[in-house]
């Protein structure tokens, strides 16, 4: 990365592309599951390992930096959380479908982050945060109970919630450790995180079966390459670049493109059916995430206003 600041407009474009790209990861995973016997653990391993190779290659080709600071112990913990997040997400997609698995994971994640920040770091939730949590829980209940079991499988929902807990743990730990002043190189840390995640997954992936058995081997290989390249290495690089110049609340709203794009792909290309209960629950969960972003924006504005010293 050069020292020239990225224009905000380009940062927004990067985030939009990243959100849409992330939304295609589950679709590609669904196609892999349909075409082969590859399981979610092995698929998650190949995603992390492929992302590691591509990110290391991008780092080696980029401008040299004097220091690429990475804290190995912390990165190992983040790698374990990433392994949980990715594997449980792919398992949820395999169990209950792309649309529901993605919406529950990405809808519950910010809510768990808000609750975790309140409990672990004494951050105020506020009325907007409480309303968002209530909305997300209502949406989840409507999605599961109002569906009648037609398309939403409770086991898949539990896996999606487990994935969301891994995502929340990654975010909360990063926020907590960032209080000491940071200084770690974001891109190098991401590459190391993928490496540790791959190491965590390798033994279980070996037991599950690393090599897919399929008559469509070429298609499966191309799908694995796509998952490693586009929604992993490229999307994370664009996300980190854009998140630097765009407000965090705006980032949260833009990232809603991921579950939205996943839902569109699930219905239009994969033939998944969405019942009225699923649609209403999805809208409630997405509205909850948007509500958290609005609450964060208001809190940030109030904090800046309070920090301005009064005029003499």
């Amino acid at each position: 990365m050069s020292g020239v600041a990225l224009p905000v407009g380009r940062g927004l474009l990067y985030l939009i592309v990243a959100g849409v790209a992330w939304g295609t990861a589950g679709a590609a995973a669904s196609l892999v599951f349909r075409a082969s016997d590859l399981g979610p653990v092995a698929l998650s391993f190949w995603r992390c390992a492929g992302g590691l190779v591509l990110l290391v290659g991008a780092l080696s080709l980029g401008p040299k930096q004097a220091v690429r600071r990475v804290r190995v112990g912390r990165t190992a913990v983040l790698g374990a959380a990433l392994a949980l997040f990715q594997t449980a997400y792919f398992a949820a997609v395999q169990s209950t479908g792309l649309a529901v698995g993605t919406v529950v994971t990405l809808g519950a994640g910010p809510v768990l982050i808000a609750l975790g920040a309140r409990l672990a770091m004494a951050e105020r939730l506020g009325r907007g945060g409480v309303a968002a949590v209530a909305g997300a829980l209502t949406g989840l209940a409507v999605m599961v109970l109002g569906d009648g079991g037609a398309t939403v499988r409770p086991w898949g929902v539990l896996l999606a919630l487990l994935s969301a807990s891994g995502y929340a743990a990654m975010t909360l730990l990063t926020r907590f450790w960032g209080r000491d002043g940071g200084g770690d190189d974001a891109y190098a840390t991401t590459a190391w995180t993928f490496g540790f995640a791959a190491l965590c997954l390798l033994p279980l992936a070996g037991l599950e079966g690393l090599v897919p058995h399929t008559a469509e081997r070429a298609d499966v290989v191309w799908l694995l390459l796509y998952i490693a390249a586009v929604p992993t290495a490229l999307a994370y690089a664009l996300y980190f670049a854009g998140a630097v110049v765009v407000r965090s609340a705006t980032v949260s709203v833009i990232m809603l493109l991921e579950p939205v794009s996943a839902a569109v792909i699930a219905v239009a290309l994969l033939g998944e059916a969405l019942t009225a209960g699923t649609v209403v629950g999805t809208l409630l969960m997405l509205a909850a995430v948007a509500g958290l972003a609005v609450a964060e924006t208001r809190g940030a504005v109030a904090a800046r206003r309070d920090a301005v010293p009064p005029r003499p």
Side-chain angles (χ1 to χ4, degrees), residues 6 21 26 28 53 67 137 155 210 220 230 277:
L6 186 72
V53 171
V67 178
L137 293 176
W155 174 243
L210 278 171
V220 171
V230 178

Side-chain angles (χ1 to χ4, degrees), residues 92 96 99-112 115 131-149 151-165 275-289:
T96 195
V100 174
T102 305
V103 168
V104 174
T105 298
L106 275 300
V111 174
L112 293 177
L115 291 174
V133 171
L137 293 176
T138 303
L140 184 61
V142 170
M143 185 180 293
V144 175
L145 301 178
D147 178 76
T151 59
V152 178
R153 295 179 175 85
W155 174 243
V157 171
L158 289 175
L159 287 169
L161 291 174
L162 182 63
S163 175
S165 68
T275 64
T278 304
V279 172
V280 173
T282 296
L283 293 176
L284 285 171
M285 295 194 76
L286 296 183
V289 177

Side-chain angles (χ1 to χ4, degrees), residues 6-27:
L6 186 72
V8 174
R10 187 177 299 176
L12 288 170
L13 177 61
Y14 284 3
L15 291 171
I16 291 171
V17 173
V20 174
W22 277 333
T24 66

Side-chain angles (χ1 to χ4, degrees), residues 34 51 54 56-57 65 75 139 157 171 183 205 210 212 216 218 230 265 269 302:
R34 292 182 182 186
L54 293 173
V56 169
Q65 297 183 11
T75 307
V157 171
T171 304
L210 278 171
E216 305 172 28
V230 178
I265 292 172
L269 300 181

Side-chain angles (χ1 to χ4, degrees), residues 35-136:
S36 73
D37 63 349
L38 198 68
V41 180
L43 177 56
S44 185
F45 166 78
W46 286 119
R47 179 181 189 179
C48 292
L52 169 65
V53 171
L54 293 173
L55 284 170
V56 169
L59 285 170
S60 64
L61 294 175
K64 304 301 180 183
Q65 297 183 11
V67 178
R68 291 197 184 276
R69 182 184 179 189
V70 176
R71 308 188 194 204
V72 177
R74 294 182 178 184
T75 307
V77 174
L78 292 177
L82 176 65
L84 174 64
F85 165 42
Q86 297 291 348
T87 305
Y89 169 67
F90 285 142
V93 169
Q94 186 183 45
S95 174
T96 195
L98 171 61
V100 174
T102 305
V103 168
V104 174
T105 298
L106 275 300
V111 174
L112 293 177
I113 290 169
L115 291 174
R118 178 70 182 91
L119 296 174
M121 290 179 278
E123 292 186 5
R124 291 183 67 252
L125 198 57
R127 285 179 296 180
V130 172
V133 171

